[in-house]
Amino acid sequence: MNFRDFSIESGSNADYGFSISNATAMEQVWDVTDITNANRRVNKGGAGSFNFAYTASDPNFNNEFVAFRADAAYSPQFVGRIGNQNLSALQNVDYLILTVPELMGQAQRLANYHQTANNYKVEIVDVNKVYEEFGSGSKDLTAVRDFVTRLNAGGRLKYVFILGDTSFDYKNRISNNNNIVSSYQSEQSSDVVSSFVTDDYIVMTQPQNNLLIENNLPDIPVGRIPATNASEAGDMINKTLAYYNSLPGQSSPFGEWRMR
């Protein structure tokens, strides 16, 4: 149970008292006013009335508390083993490819082209590893943006390419969803007219000067091939290489792509 008192004036240094009745089964209350410095109050002996004090010392936070019982807490469940990784050590990357393991083979074909033709240092990264290292395992687009921002710390990163389909439903609540590499859902997600999905968010690596994403500009070019599986990715990479006149066995210097 979360609760707060909106009448408390933050930063006033005044002392306040809270009292919770019928609290026999309530073991503790956590003060999460400052989530970086949470602390708990224990209901010693399971008293029926749980009383505790609070000092409104910080002007930056409104009071916020969470009361709960240990038997109502979630139990951790084993999801999987995470191998050692260190994406933070990557440096001097020109071309970043974000994808998933199933599409790595096709991503490598494009990486080979740019390494040979443009002398780019290309890095193919499993987006799930980005979530693990920069988002504590949560599929959070801000984790991807933080990774791209770190990679571009020296300003060398030239392009970000995403291989994999996306969906407005990043929580995978609809059937037959193709949310392979997630995109950013606009703030007006419930508005069928003005809502939109974009990849620009992950390449906004500089401090933004406007609250709404549509009024900010990306700092690095970003593109995506919305492939659902390896077969689709292969077809799309074939067309891309044909455009560059670099498809093995290509007969025309212009590529068959111009005929389609």
Side-chain angles (χ1 to χ4, degrees):
M1 178 181 70
N2 293 49
F3 63 94
R4 64 168 48 172
D5 187 340
F6 290 97
S7 66
I8 292 179
E9 182 180 354
S10 299
S12 63
N13 286 315
D15 294 325
Y16 296 86
F18 286 84
S19 181
I20 304 174
S21 58
N22 300 320
T24 304
M26 186 177 296
E27 301 168 356
Q28 51 191 302
V29 169
W30 281 81
D31 178 358
V32 293
T33 302
D34 178 359
I35 60 173
T36 65
N37 187 31
N39 58 85
R40 68 173 181 169
R41 275 79 162 174
V42 178
N43 185 14
K44 296 180 179 179
S49 181
F50 189 178
N51 303 308
F52 63 93
Y54 170 75
T55 302
S57 57
D58 197 319
N60 299 312
F61 301 100
N62 292 319
N63 63 94
E64 182 82 27
F65 304 92
V66 179
F68 67 94
R69 306 189 316 269
D71 60 359
Y74 291 111
S75 298
Q77 302 292 324
F78 178 79
V79 175
R81 187 180 300 275
I82 305 299
N84 292 332
Q85 62 181 60
N86 188 10
L87 298 180
S88 298
L90 295 177
Q91 298 182 48
N92 303 321
V93 176
D94 298 301
Y95 196 109
L96 173 65
I97 299 178
L98 294 169
T99 189
V100 291
E102 308 89 84
L103 305 180
M104 287 283 187
Q106 297 302 327
Q108 188 62 57
R109 294 176 62 203
L110 189 63
N112 292 341
Y113 167 79
H114 286 297
Q115 288 167 340
T116 302
N118 299 313
N119 198 30
Y120 286 161
K121 180 180 178 182
V122 183
E123 198 70 44
I124 304 174
V125 175
D126 179 358
V127 71
N128 296 299
K129 292 185 177 181
V130 178
Y131 297 143
E132 296 295 347
E133 189 163 329
F134 289 83
S136 300
S138 174
K139 289 188 175 183
D140 181 2
L141 261 293
T142 300
V144 181
R145 187 184 67 173
D146 289 347
F147 170 60
V148 173
T149 299
R150 183 180 181 87
L151 206 58
N152 192 44
R156 174 168 170 170
L157 187 61
K158 296 180 176 66
Y159 301 101
V160 176
F161 169 64
I162 303 169
L163 181 58
D165 203 357
T166 189
S167 169
F168 67 91
D169 178 26
Y170 62 91
K171 291 186 177 181
N172 287 321
R173 293 170 296 183
I174 62 175
S175 58
N176 301 317
N177 199 26
N178 289 332
N179 187 37
I180 297 173
V181 181
S182 297
S183 287
Y184 182 86
Q185 178 77 35
S186 65
E187 289 86 349
Q188 302 84 9
S189 59
S190 60
D191 189 328
V192 297
V193 176
S194 60
S195 179
F196 61 90
V197 174
T198 181
D199 292 320
D200 287 352
Y201 177 76
I202 69 169
V203 291
M204 292 180 175
T205 62
Q206 301 298 321
Q208 303 301 305
N209 54 20
N210 196 288
L211 178 64
L212 300 177
I213 187 175
E214 56 263 37
N215 295 328
N216 292 291
L217 294 175
D219 300 294
I220 306 168
V222 61
R224 176 191 293 261
I225 287 181
T228 301
N229 50 51
S231 177
E232 286 187 6
D235 291 341
M236 295 177 185
I237 295 296
N238 284 343
K239 289 187 176 183
T240 302
L241 295 178
Y243 179 89
Y244 291 130
N245 195 31
S246 295
L247 186 65
Q250 186 172 345
S251 58
S252 167
F254 299 105
E256 295 182 0
W257 63 271
R258 296 191 66 179
M259 305 299 293
R260 298 180 181 177

